[in-house]
Amino acid sequence: MMFRRSASFLYDCLLLIALFFVITAIAIGFNHGEAIQSPAYYLALYVVGFLFFDWFWRHGGQTLGMSAWRIKVEGSQHESITFNQSLMRYLSGTLLFIFTLLYVFLDDNNAALHDRLSKTKIIMYYK
């Protein structure tokens, strides 16, 4: 399960990096070709990352990487996740990244810390 989660995350990071490249190219154009050093720019990228994951998680329960590796996120009662769950999952997953991954090895159900905090779970499925 950890391998699938990691592979899915890597796949999604590649997609997100491509999106960041496009946003940065547009932003540099508006900045007259100069490097962007504003904290607002980094905050905007963080928000775009959230919007990326939030949209996929709440519309079908899986990102493109999750779909490729046949895993899905859902609420603890097998329902679609809410905006608040998605927000908690993203914030805790990004701000507590190393801790949330280490928690997987301590949890009996192989749940990450951000799964527990957001009351969500990852399920595997087979076609």
Side-chain angles (χ1 to χ4, degrees):
M1 174 75 118
M2 188 62 176
F3 175 76
R4 281 187 178 198
R5 288 177 81 133
S6 300
S8 167
F9 181 69
L10 178 62
Y11 188 104
D12 289 331
C13 283
L14 294 174
L15 295 171
L16 201 52
I17 287 168
L19 183 59
F20 288 170
F21 277 137
V22 170
I23 291 169
T24 302
I26 293 168
I28 287 175
F30 283 110
N31 203 35
H32 307 292
E34 298 293 321
I36 303 167
Q37 298 177 358
S38 168
Y41 164 74
Y42 297 106
L43 179 62
L45 290 181
Y46 189 74
V47 169
V48 166
F50 168 69
L51 294 174
F52 172 85
F53 285 105
D54 176 62
W55 194 89
F56 282 109
W57 287 338
R58 292 194 303 134
H59 294 89
Q62 55 190 173
T63 61
L64 296 173
M66 294 170 84
S67 178
W69 287 94
R70 297 188 202 115
I71 59 176
K72 186 176 180 179
V73 64
E74 59 184 30
S76 58
Q77 302 299 318
H78 306 289
E79 75 281 6
S80 296
I81 69 172
T82 65
F83 175 82
N84 287 339
Q85 286 175 307
S86 180
L87 181 62
M88 176 57 79
R89 184 177 175 78
Y90 184 75
L91 290 174
S92 59
T94 56
L95 299 176
L96 303 171
F97 184 73
I98 256 328
F99 301 110
T100 191
L101 291 180
L102 292 175
Y103 187 84
V104 171
F105 299 107
L106 303 174
D107 189 83
D108 293 336
N109 297 323
N110 294 325
L113 183 58
H114 60 271
D115 294 323
R116 293 285 181 211
L117 293 174
S118 64
K119 297 183 175 84
T120 61
K121 62 183 175 180
I122 294 291
I123 59 167
M124 292 190 305
Y125 66 90
Y126 303 94
K127 290 185 178 182

